[in-house]
Amino acid sequence: MSGVRFRVWFGDHAASEEELARIEEIEVTQEMDHFWEARLRMALCLDEKGSWLHWPGDKVQKFSRVRVELDIGSGRFVPLIDGPLVSIDAGLDAQPGRSTATMVVRDDGVFLDRDEVVKPPFENRRHSDIVKEVFNLFEQI
């Protein structure tokens, strides 16, 4: 049996050894009745011009697929999460070697209820008209 290993996929390509080496920590939270979420903290460095090297947003776009898989030593990888990237949180620091970027990945539940519908205001309207409008929103009534 081999040791614990992990793989990360960005869209349809697997993370390279170099990209995997920059990942300092992966935290996957799986709870009932909540979004499942993974947080991948990656180390950042500056180049000689003062620009951030290896910023995750350069290769991965918001809502692109990210997949994290784990092999606990059996030789078989099991997916922990496969979902869209919802944000990249920066933890920038002036001290060398302390800056990070955290990729936040959630399950596909993040796509639910993304379209917001704004209803007209209820001001200056008759109560009976408002009641009819609200009740007509539901087929069961």
Side-chain angles (χ1 to χ4, degrees), residues 2-35:
S2 60
V4 176
R5 301 178 300 156
F6 69 96
R7 291 193 296 206
V8 178
W9 296 81
F10 299 115
D12 59 352
H13 82 279
S16 66
E17 290 293 326
E18 181 185 333
E19 290 170 321
L20 291 175
R22 280 195 302 277
I23 298 176
E24 294 180 340
E25 179 180 79
I26 299 175
E27 177 184 339
V28 179
T29 306
Q30 300 173 338
E31 297 180 27
M32 294 295 291
D33 299 327
H34 292 282
F35 286 122

Side-chain angles (χ1 to χ4, degrees), residues 8-23 42 44 52-66 85 88 101 103:
V8 178
W9 296 81
F10 299 115
D12 59 352
H13 82 279
S16 66
E17 290 293 326
E18 181 185 333
E19 290 170 321
L20 291 175
R22 280 195 302 277
I23 298 176
M42 304 175 81
L44 294 178
W52 292 109
L53 290 173
H54 315 299
W55 181 255
D58 294 342
K59 286 192 172 185
V60 184
Q61 300 299 316
K62 194 168 184 182
F63 290 107
S64 62
R65 303 296 294 183
V66 177
L85 173 70
I88 299 174
M103 298 173 62

